[in-house]
């Protein structure tokens, strides 16, 4: 059920089997499995995650849907199967020795700070892509997730043989151009002048015929979520059919600080069942090492939930059919 | 496009990037990704695989659908993106040194035996569950996949606190009772008298109150795909609400014989991207080691397709924007 103010006090007295931080593809898949394993699960979702912004999931069976449709459907499944759901922001997680204490900010105004307890934790809070920072961010949101893409694997096909702007956030991100060229060679590289570009990179871009544009972006041009040009601060315009933003991403993992999880660069390292270096803490989806794809996150949720269920199940003896074990009564 | 008789000759002259054997969840996910990577892919599907029989996928986001809906939707996606599709049965695969030669039986009557070639192969042919073998198999199919289940992870929740028949195919399969008891303790174990049961197992079952019934099954009782009893050959009837078949499964992997793939028991061993011990052969879904779940197969397809794309991409230089490299013409 969806937890509201009036439920918080009682629910803080319960011990959940699992608290899932994040209600995107990975967290929802985990919640669906956990609830179907008849475990007590709470999903805490802050809202507006990466999947919320995806207009088209082109590659997730069995049909092209939006990210919103995916997460709204998954949420209904999890609730149907008995999961608890809280709209809130996880501020911190503490391992109190055999249990996690999860402190949540509930409501932006008149905030409350309930603390929920669980045996296991699944970190499914994902990441968000960095977008160009313009004076008018609504202008960015108008096109981001439509034909201003953030994921080459997801959307490269849509850019096939189109004039594409690659908006890079660092020199190393410029290298995305050479992967993007698998789909289209008509690439202009935009840095917004935010970082210096080496002579070696300038030469390489020139050899490939990719213009390098270092002027700041003023705004994206187009209509009805279809970007068709980029205007720079000097008033010039680059005509494009599509764009790819490669400016990195921000992981939603502040609440895990202090738990000292093993990482590879910024990605959390997990085993084949998404277990982190903490034996009762699992990480699924974009937070962990691996491909950042919806299908992977959904499978991760399956794996983490199943590993947790097996562990909890093994701690308990098999249930007996007691009626069959009663001695005949003496009359 | 769907390949018909008139296409076979020309298509045998082509070199596919990838041939996918099996059009279930794993193969279709791979095909969708491969086609979106603009690679040439052929899916060969024999029909009536495991997902075809699943009436309800309870745990795959974002909605409860049937296996048929999953594979029909995925097939339409793959075709939309440009994959080729052939209804046929793969008889053998040979590695001819850098290429695979895939021999297919096309059409049950007036069969043809085309041979297709590819750089990579994805084995996605899965497995099929063994069902009780009764004189009237239609009686079995009436309930299998409805409330006569084959997968504890998928359907255990549906059996919660119901009277369940566990139909076991071996003594070790009887142990499934103790996992099933997580969902319900009202378990009757049926062996059909097909194998001897040890004294130790008899004692353990008795201690749990699970009746052991060793009589052959005559038929399943019920109506409208809802089984409510099992009749034995001696005319007695066991009233049940649900059933779980644990009689093993048959892997569709005959065509891989001779390729000497590394296995763990019957499962093909793969790396984190579903690559087998053969560097150009990937295995996804139920054929490989791991959980046999739709979500896992879909993610496997993502992983295998992406690994293949990266490898093919790296073999080719980045495409250049040639118009930008032309020297000005001398007038």
């Amino acid at each position: 059920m969806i937890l509201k103010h009036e439920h918080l006090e009682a629910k803080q007295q319960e011990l959940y089997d699992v608290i899932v931080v994040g209600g995107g593809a990975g967290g929802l898949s985990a919640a669906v499995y956990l609830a179907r394993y008849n475990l007590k699960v709470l999903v805490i979702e802050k809202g507006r995650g990466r999947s919320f912004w995806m207009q088209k999931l082109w590659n997730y069976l069995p049909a092209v849907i939006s990210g919103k449709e995916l997460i709204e459907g998954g949420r209904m499944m999890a609730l149907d199967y008995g999961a608890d759901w809280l709209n809130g922001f996880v501020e911190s997680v503490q391992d109190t020795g055999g249990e996690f204490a999860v402190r949540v900010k509930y409501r932006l105004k008149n905030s409350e700070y309930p603390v929920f307890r669980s045996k296991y934790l699944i970190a499914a809070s994902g990441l968000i892509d960095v977008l160009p920072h313009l004076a008018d961010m609504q202008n960015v949101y108008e096109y981001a997730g439509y034909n201003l893409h953030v994921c080459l694997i997801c959307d490269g096909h849509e850019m096939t043989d189109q004039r594409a702007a690659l908006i890079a956030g660092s020199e190393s991100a410029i290298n995305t151009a050479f992967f993007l060229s698998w789909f289209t060679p008509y690439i202009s590289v935009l840095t917004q002048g935010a970082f210096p570009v080496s002579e070696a990179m300038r030469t390489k871009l020139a050899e490939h015929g990719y213009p390098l544009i270092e002027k700041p972006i003023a705004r994206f041009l187009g209509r009805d979520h279809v970007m068709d040009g980029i205007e720079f601060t000097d008033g010039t315009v680059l005509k494009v059919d599509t764009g790819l933003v490669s400016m990195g991403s921000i992981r939603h993992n502040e609440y895990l600080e202090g738990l000292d999880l093993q990482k590879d660069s910024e990605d959390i390292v997990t085993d084949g069942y998404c277990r982190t270096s903490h034996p009762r803490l699992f990480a699924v989806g974009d937070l962990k090492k691996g491909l950042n794809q919806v299908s992977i996150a959904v499978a991760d949720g399956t794996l983490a939930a199943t590993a947790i269920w097996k562990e909890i199940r093994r701690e308990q003896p098999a249930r007996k059919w007691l009626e069959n074990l009663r001695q005949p009564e003496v009359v």
Side-chain angles (χ1 to χ4, degrees), chain A:
Chain A
M1 69 178 182
I2 298 175
L3 303 192
K4 299 291 184 188
H5 166 77
E6 58 268 30
H7 307 117
L8 299 186
E9 195 171 321
K11 289 292 181 180
Q12 290 180 75
Q13 307 307 315
E14 293 189 19
L15 176 62
Y16 283 99
D17 290 305
V18 188
I19 289 176
V20 180
V21 183
L28 286 168
S29 179
V32 162
Y33 271 83
L34 291 165
R36 288 185 59 81
Y37 292 139
N38 296 341
L39 295 172
K40 286 175 65 172
V41 54
L42 169 64
V43 181
I44 305 172
E45 162 63 16
K46 67 161 186 29
R48 295 177 175 255
R50 195 186 203 201
S51 39
F52 176 87
W53 297 98
M54 297 175 191
Q55 297 306 320
K56 300 271 188 190
L57 305 176
W58 297 106
N59 49 24
Y60 180 72
L61 303 190
V64 177
I65 57 173
S66 70
K68 277 183 199 170
E69 288 172 305
L70 180 81
I71 56 184
E72 189 48 37
R75 199 173 79 110
M76 284 171 57
M77 290 173 80
L79 287 168
D80 274 354
Y81 296 137
D84 280 346
W85 181 280
L86 181 70
N87 292 311
F89 179 79
V90 171
E91 291 208 325
S92 69
V93 170
Q94 284 199 311
D95 183 354
T96 61
E99 288 179 22
F100 290 106
V102 179
R103 179 183 153 96
V104 181
K105 178 174 181 172
Y106 175 65
R107 289 199 301 227
L108 286 175
K109 291 178 182 171
N110 301 318
S111 300
E112 298 178 69
Y113 295 89
V115 177
F116 300 95
R117 297 180 306 123
S118 67
K119 298 177 194 167
Y120 290 84
L121 191 88
I122 297 181
S125 38
L127 55 77
I128 196 77
D129 305 279
V130 176
L131 295 174
H133 191 77
L134 304 188
D136 176 12
M137 284 308 291
Q138 277 310 317
N139 172 256
V140 180
Y141 299 140
E142 175 79 9
Y143 304 108
Y146 292 87
N147 70 333
L148 179 59
H149 302 290
V150 295
C151 171
L152 185 63
I153 286 179
C154 315
D155 301 312
H157 183 74
E158 304 305 310
M159 296 188 256
T160 299
D161 288 336
Q162 294 199 336
R163 291 171 301 175
L166 173 67
I167 305 175
S170 65
E171 167 137 343
S172 71
I174 293 178
N175 284 304
T176 306
F178 307 107
F179 309 136
L180 173 57
S181 79
W182 176 265
F183 298 101
T184 179
Y186 311 119
I187 301 167
S188 299
V189 175
L190 280 56
T191 68
Q192 306 177 81
F195 54 91
V197 179
S198 69
E199 280 309 312
M201 181 61 83
R202 288 174 190 278
T203 304
K204 191 172 176 188
L205 291 174
E207 284 171 356
H208 285 78
Y210 305 158
L212 173 66
I213 303 174
E214 301 182 82
K215 298 179 283 193
I217 295 172
R219 62 194 182 103
F220 296 97
L221 306 176
R223 53 187 293 178
D224 296 338
H225 303 298
V226 180
M227 177 189 66
D228 58 16
I230 298 177
E231 185 180 318
F232 298 96
T233 49
D234 66 358
T236 57
V237 168
L238 177 71
K239 300 285 280 179
V240 293
D241 307 305
T242 186
L244 178 67
V245 178
S246 185
M247 297 179 64
S249 52
I250 296 169
R251 285 163 181 75
H252 298 303
N253 58 6
E254 312 81 5
Y255 62 94
L256 296 172
E257 278 173 30
L259 290 169
D260 197 28
L261 302 179
Q262 189 192 341
K263 291 188 183 175
D264 181 347
S265 178
E266 290 194 73
D267 291 327
I268 297 174
V269 173
T270 61
D271 70 8
Y273 277 81
C274 299
R275 194 189 303 254
T276 70
S277 55
H278 186 302
R280 289 179 292 104
L281 203 159
F282 292 70
V284 302
D286 293 354
L287 275 189
K288 68 174 240 301
K289 216 170 130 71
L291 291 182
N292 292 348
Q293 290 286 292
V294 164
S295 60
I296 303 294
V298 171
D300 285 350
T302 299
L303 292 165
T306 302
I308 291 170
W309 171 55
K310 286 186 178 174
E311 208 158 272
I312 290 177
R313 193 188 73 204
R314 284 189 193 122
E315 286 167 9
Q316 301 187 13
R319 286 162 72 198
K320 296 178 177 180
W321 191 344
L322 296 176
E323 291 80 350
N324 289 345
L325 297 175
R326 286 208 192 103
Q327 300 298 319
E329 289 179 32
V330 179
V331 188

